[in-house]
Amino acid sequence: MTIRAAHFTPEVLLEAPRRSEATPNSKGSLALFSVSTYSFSEHKRQSELRVLDISRNESKLVTDSEDASNPKFLDDNLITVLESKDGATNVLIGDVNDFKKTNYTAGTIDGSVDDWKIKDVGKGKYLIAIAASTQPDGTLYNSEKAKKPVTTGRIYNSTFVRHWDTWVTANKNSIWVGTLSKDSKTSKFALGHFENKLKDSGLESPIPPFGGAGDFDITDTNLAFVAKDPKLNPAFNTKQNLYVIKLDNGSSPKKIDIPGFEGATSNPNFSPDGKKLAFLSMVQNGYEADKNQIFLLDVEQSDPPKGLFTTPDNKGTWDRSPSSITWSNDQKNLYVTAEENARVKLFSIPLAANSTNSSFPKAVFDEGSVASTTFLDSGLFISSSSLIDNSAYHLVPSSGAPKLLSSSSRSGSSFGLSRSQVSEIHFPGAKPGTTIQAWLIKPSFFDDSKKYPLAYLVHGGPQGAWEDSWSTRWNPAVFAEQGYVVVTPNPTGSTGFGQELTDAIGGEWGGLPYQDLVNGFDYVEKNLSYVDTDRAVALGASYGGYMMNWIQGNDLGRKFKALVTHDGVFSIPGQLGTEEIYFPNREFGGPFWENKDAWNKWDPAQKTENWATPHLIIHSEKDFRLTIAEGLAAFNVLQEKGVESQFLTFPDENHWVLKPENSLLWHTVVLDFINRKVGLKAYSEQSETAKALKESALSG
C-alpha cells in the first residue's frame, strides 16, 4: 500500500494487498511471491506474481495472469509457473527478469494441479512431484472433460460422506511424478511423462481438505508422503501413516511404522542429500491436538525412525508441538516452527553426528508468527505476520539480529496501526497453579483518561489460540479501531502453553475454560480503569461460538450488552451430524450412547431458560463441520423467547466467510449489532458500501 489508511476499517482490511509466503532463490537475492487485491468499487480481484529484489527491497511484476500460480525457481533466474487452462495445467518457464517476453510452455498436464515440488537431479534435469485429483481408474481428473452425471443422487455404504464443505466423491488426490529436462540443442525445457505413484494403493495424498505440498517430499530416488490409514474409517480416526516409495523400480509404497505412535503423521521433509527424512507424529489416534513429536528416518537403512526428545512413556521432553521442519544445507541443524506463548516461533535444533538428542530447541526468531522458512547460505529467510502487520519477510543471519527485508504494510503504519497498541495481560486460571494469557489491543487513538467499551473475543478449536498473527476473518484491530479495548484470552484448551493446558479441556468444555473467562473478565473489571465493562460485548466462532451460547445460559452472559455466535454449537448431541465424529467422541469420552451424561453436561441447549442477552447468530449453509441446524436452533430459541436477535447466513460459505463481499457484509452486520449496544456508531453509518450491502441482504 502506497497510501496510508486514514482509519483501519473492514474495507481497508479486505482491500489491502494479500501477499503470500515468499520463495527465495538459492543466492537469497530474489524472492517470488503472489499478491492479490480486491476492489469493492469494481467488485473484482486482481492477482499478480511478483519478484522481490531483496537488497533493494523493491518488487516488480512477473505476470498478472489470473491463471498463473505456484512459481518456483529452477535456478537463480529461471522460474517455472503453473497456468490453469480448460481444466488442464500448462507448465511455463521463463526468465524471472522478463517473464512476459521469455516464457514458453514446457508441457501440459491434463488435469488441475493443486501443488507441486521440484528436485534438481543435475545435468539439466528435474524431477517434479505434483498433487492432482485422480479418477478411480488412476487417470488424471479434468473437470472440463469429465462426463456429466445424469442424476444428482449419491449413494454411500459407509460414513464420511462429506468433509468441510464438499461431498465425498470417488475421485481421490494422488501424487504424480514426472520429469522436466533441458534439450541440449534448443536449451529449452520439456515436460516428460508423469506416473501416478499411488495407483492401486488405496491411499490418498495430499489429505483433504487442507493437505498440500507439506504432505509429500521428493529426492532423486525416493518419494515420501503421508496418507490416512486405509483400514480405518476417517470419520472415527485421525491416524495418518508415513510412506516411502523408491522411484526407480516400480515398487509399492512402504509404510513406516512408528512404535507407540498411532495418531497423525505429517510434514515429511528429506535432508538435502536425500538420505534422511524428518517428520512429525502424534501418539493418540482420534485427537487432532495431540503433541507433534519429531522423528528422523535413515532412508537407506531398515532401522525404525528415531525420535528427538522422546521418552519411554512417549510423552517427550519438549513441551511444544512443532508444525513444520526445515533442514540446514549442511544437515547439522533442523529448524522447526512451534507455538509458544501465543506466538509461532522458529526453533533451532543442532543434530550431533551420532545422536538425535544432542541439544534442546532454541528459539532463533520470535517476532509475530512464522509462516514459512527457507535455509540460505546467508541465513534463514522467514515469512511471517503479526497482529498489526499482514506480511513481513525477514532474514535471520547465522549470527546477529533478524533483519526486516520487506513489510507489506510497513510494519502496520500503512493501516494506521502500531505495535504500541498491543500488549499482554495475565490472570489466574480456574485450575490451581495455572496462569492465563490474553492479548490486549487498544485503539490507535487511545487516551488513558477516557473509558472504552470491551470486546471480549473467544477463539475456536477449542484447541487453538489467539496468536500474534494477522487474520482477515477475525482481526482484533478491526474491533479496536471501532473504539473498543479488545481482550483475546487463551483459556484452558489453548495451544502453545504446554500440552497439559491443551489437554485439560477434555470433558470440561463449559467448566475450566468458562471459569477462566470469568476470571479474565473480573481481572479487566478490577485492573483496567480505562475499560468500561458495563459496555461489554463478547464474540466467538466455532468453539468460541459454543462458548457464546454457553455464556448466554450462565451468569457471565448477563455481563454483556450483546453476544455474537459464528458457526457455534447449540446442542452437543447435535455434533452427531458432523463429518469428523472422532472429535466429539474424544472430547466427551466416547460415543454418545455410551456417555450421554458427559455429552449433556456442558450442552448449551440445556440452559436456554436463562437466555436473555441480545444475540447475533451467524451460520453458513456449506459448514459441514457444524451444520446450519445449530445456528437455526439457537436463533429459533432466541426468537421464541422474545430476546432481541438477528440471523445472518451465507449459502455459499463454509465454516469461514471467505468471499470479500460476503466478508464485508459479515463485518457490517457484526459491528452494527454490537456497536449500537455500547454507544458506538454503526458501521453501516460509516460506509456507503457497507450500507448498500446490508440493505441488499435484508430478507425479512
Side-chain angles (χ1 to χ4, degrees):
M1 297 181 67
T2 56
I3 301 175
R4 177 187 170 98
H7 184 50
F8 186 60
T9 66
E11 281 163 87
V12 173
L13 168 72
L14 298 170
E15 285 191 320
R18 301 188 188 188
R19 197 167 68 165
S20 71
E21 301 159 16
T23 303
N25 61 5
S26 62
K27 290 181 179 178
S29 57
L30 303 173
L32 288 165
F33 64 94
S34 63
V35 61
S36 66
T37 308
Y38 190 83
S39 169
F40 285 109
S41 61
E42 298 179 4
H43 307 286
K44 182 181 178 182
R45 182 182 297 281
Q46 179 180 352
S47 299
E48 298 178 344
L49 297 181
R50 303 189 67 86
V51 61
L52 174 71
D53 185 318
I54 292 175
S55 63
R56 297 180 179 179
N57 189 19
E58 296 177 353
S59 73
K60 66 178 181 179
L61 180 69
V62 174
T63 176
D64 59 1
S65 170
E66 295 289 329
D67 301 317
S69 65
N70 283 285
K72 310 280 187 188
F73 278 105
L74 290 182
D75 57 30
D76 285 326
N77 294 298
L78 204 63
I79 64 170
T80 180
V81 171
L82 300 183
E83 177 191 49
S84 301
K85 291 286 186 181
D86 302 321
T89 304
N90 296 325
V91 177
L92 308 182
I93 303 214
D95 190 314
V96 69
N97 296 302
D98 195 357
F99 187 79
K100 185 175 182 179
K101 288 185 178 180
T102 62
N103 86 83
Y104 61 91
T105 301
T108 299
I109 301 166
D110 194 24
S112 177
V113 176
D114 295 322
D115 220 327
W116 62 335
K117 284 190 173 179
I118 299 177
K119 174 68 176 178
D120 186 353
V121 294
K123 298 182 179 179
K125 184 178 180 180
Y126 293 82
L127 282 179
I128 300 180
I130 65 168
S133 182
T134 304
Q135 300 177 104
D137 64 0
T139 59
L140 280 166
Y141 173 71
N142 184 310
S143 60
E144 298 297 315
K145 296 180 180 179
K147 185 179 179 180
K148 307 302 180 185
V150 295
T151 176
T152 58
R154 297 186 181 97
I155 300 173
Y156 296 90
N157 293 315
S158 64
T159 193
F160 209 64
V161 301
R162 60 185 190 176
H163 197 199
W164 190 250
D165 61 3
T166 305
W167 287 87
V168 174
T169 71
N171 294 338
K172 305 294 181 186
N173 289 337
S174 290
I175 301 170
W176 297 67
V177 176
T179 58
L180 188 66
S181 304
K182 182 186 287 187
D183 187 297
S184 59
K185 294 181 180 179
T186 64
S187 294
K188 288 189 174 182
F189 285 89
L191 207 60
H193 171 72
F194 277 81
E195 180 182 356
N196 179 1
K197 290 298 181 179
L198 273 60
K199 186 177 182 180
D200 300 325
S201 67
L203 301 172
E204 180 173 25
S205 187
I207 301 168
F210 304 119
D215 281 358
F216 63 93
D217 201 13
I218 191 170
T219 70
D220 53 351
T221 57
N222 290 286
L223 169 71
F225 65 94
V226 293
K228 289 281 190 180
D229 192 307
K231 297 179 181 179
L232 301 175
N233 190 310
F236 308 116
N237 299 274
T238 59
K239 183 171 173 56
Q240 296 174 185
N241 300 327
L242 173 68
Y243 299 88
V244 176
I245 307 176
K246 288 192 174 296
L247 298 176
D248 59 357
N249 61 4
S251 63
S252 300
K254 177 186 176 183
K255 178 186 170 187
I256 306 300
D257 290 316
I258 314 158
F261 283 73
E262 297 298 322
T265 299
S266 62
N267 210 253
N269 199 305
F270 282 110
S271 59
D273 65 6
K275 295 180 179 180
K276 293 187 181 298
L277 182 71
F279 61 93
L280 306 172
S281 193
M282 296 178 175
V283 171
Q284 299 182 58
N285 182 19
Y287 187 25
E288 291 176 304
D290 196 13
K291 184 172 71 173
N292 271 320
Q293 298 190 51
I294 307 166
F295 286 84
L296 293 177
L297 174 70
D298 192 325
V299 181
E300 298 178 347
Q301 303 295 325
S302 58
D303 297 336
K306 296 180 180 179
L308 275 64
F309 318 115
T310 53
T311 55
D313 61 4
N314 288 333
K315 290 185 178 180
T317 57
W318 189 35
D319 197 18
R320 294 294 178 262
S321 184
S323 55
S324 70
I325 303 172
T326 302
W327 287 85
S328 63
N329 289 343
D330 60 9
Q331 305 182 166
K332 293 181 179 180
N333 291 274
L334 289 180
Y335 293 92
V336 302
T337 56
E339 286 183 81
E340 183 170 71
N341 300 331
R343 299 164 177 85
V344 180
K345 300 180 181 180
L346 182 67
F347 295 85
S348 171
I349 305 174
L351 298 176
N354 299 311
S355 172
T356 55
N357 289 332
S358 58
S359 180
F360 215 60
K362 176 184 177 183
V364 295
F365 186 85
D366 59 3
E367 299 178 23
S369 292
V370 176
S372 68
T373 307
T374 304
F375 191 88
L376 305 171
D377 291 339
S378 56
L380 290 155
F381 185 95
I382 292 173
S383 299
S384 66
S385 71
S386 72
L387 284 163
I388 55 97
D389 192 353
N390 62 344
S391 173
Y393 303 148
H394 285 83
L395 181 69
V396 180
S398 54
S399 61
K403 177 184 177 182
L404 178 62
L405 302 174
S406 172
S407 168
S408 181
S409 66
R410 299 179 183 175
S411 300
S413 65
S414 294
F415 300 137
L417 302 176
S418 70
R419 195 67 200 178
S420 63
Q421 294 175 244
V422 181
S423 59
E424 297 179 60
I425 59 173
H426 299 84
F427 51 87
K431 191 174 183 179
T434 61
T435 299
I436 303 302
Q437 183 265 4
W439 292 108
L440 180 72
I441 303 95
K442 300 174 183 176
S444 59
F445 45 85
F446 178 78
D447 181 342
D448 61 10
S449 67
K450 297 180 179 180
K451 279 183 172 285
Y452 299 85
L454 170 68
Y456 207 44
L457 274 55
V458 181
H459 66 67
Q463 295 90 355
W466 289 111
E467 298 165 345
D468 187 7
S469 62
W470 190 258
S471 173
T472 53
R473 292 183 290 111
W474 283 87
N475 191 305
V478 163
F479 297 93
E481 293 305 278
Q482 287 292 300
Y484 294 92
V485 168
V486 182
V487 175
T488 64
N490 284 312
T492 299
S494 298
T495 51
F497 299 89
Q499 196 63 32
E500 183 178 350
L501 186 74
T502 302
D503 294 345
I505 197 172
E508 282 284 339
W509 269 38
L512 293 174
Y514 170 77
Q515 189 58 49
D516 289 339
L517 296 173
V518 171
N519 293 358
F521 190 93
D522 289 345
Y523 177 90
V524 172
E525 196 168 34
K526 294 173 181 176
N527 294 279
L528 304 183
S529 59
Y530 48 83
V531 178
D532 183 357
T533 52
D534 289 333
R535 293 190 297 146
V537 296
L539 309 89
S542 196
Y543 172 80
Y546 157 86
M547 184 53 73
M548 294 303 106
N549 294 342
W550 182 253
I551 284 173
Q552 175 71 280
N554 286 275
D555 292 345
L556 185 57
R558 309 292 78 79
K559 297 278 190 177
F560 297 105
K561 295 296 185 183
L563 300 171
V564 178
T565 291
H566 174 103
D567 288 14
V569 176
F570 168 73
S571 173
I572 287 178
Q575 292 316 287
L576 291 168
T578 189
E579 10 64 305
E580 297 176 341
I581 297 294
Y582 59 76
F583 179 75
N585 281 356
R586 192 269 168 189
E587 294 300 305
F588 307 113
F592 173 68
W593 54 90
E594 294 179 3
N595 298 271
K596 288 184 180 179
D597 289 345
W599 282 61
N600 289 323
K601 183 177 182 179
W602 308 117
D603 184 4
Q606 305 300 318
K607 290 181 173 287
T608 49
E609 67 273 13
N610 300 327
W611 286 28
T613 299
H615 204 148
L616 168 63
I617 305 292
I618 306 168
H619 218 113
S620 295
E621 292 185 31
K622 293 183 72 176
D623 185 354
F624 298 160
R625 178 153 295 181
L626 295 170
T627 66
I628 192 171
E630 298 292 295
L632 287 168
F635 182 60
N636 289 345
V637 167
L638 291 161
Q639 289 283 298
E640 188 171 9
K641 287 180 65 65
V643 178
E644 182 185 353
S645 51
Q646 196 169 36
F647 182 70
L648 172 64
T649 186
F650 299 94
D652 54 348
E653 299 284 7
N654 55 38
H655 201 53
W656 303 330
V657 176
L658 301 176
K659 297 180 179 180
E661 306 278 352
N662 288 347
S663 183
L664 181 56
L665 176 62
W666 183 97
H667 281 88
T668 302
V669 173
V670 168
L671 293 175
D672 278 6
F673 193 84
I674 62 175
N675 285 7
R676 286 173 173 146
K677 298 295 183 296
V678 298
L680 296 176
K681 190 176 183 180
Y683 187 64
S684 60
E685 297 174 12
Q686 303 174 39
S687 163
E688 289 298 321
T689 302
K691 180 180 179 180
L693 271 179
K694 186 176 179 181
E695 288 176 348
S696 70
L698 288 171
S699 301

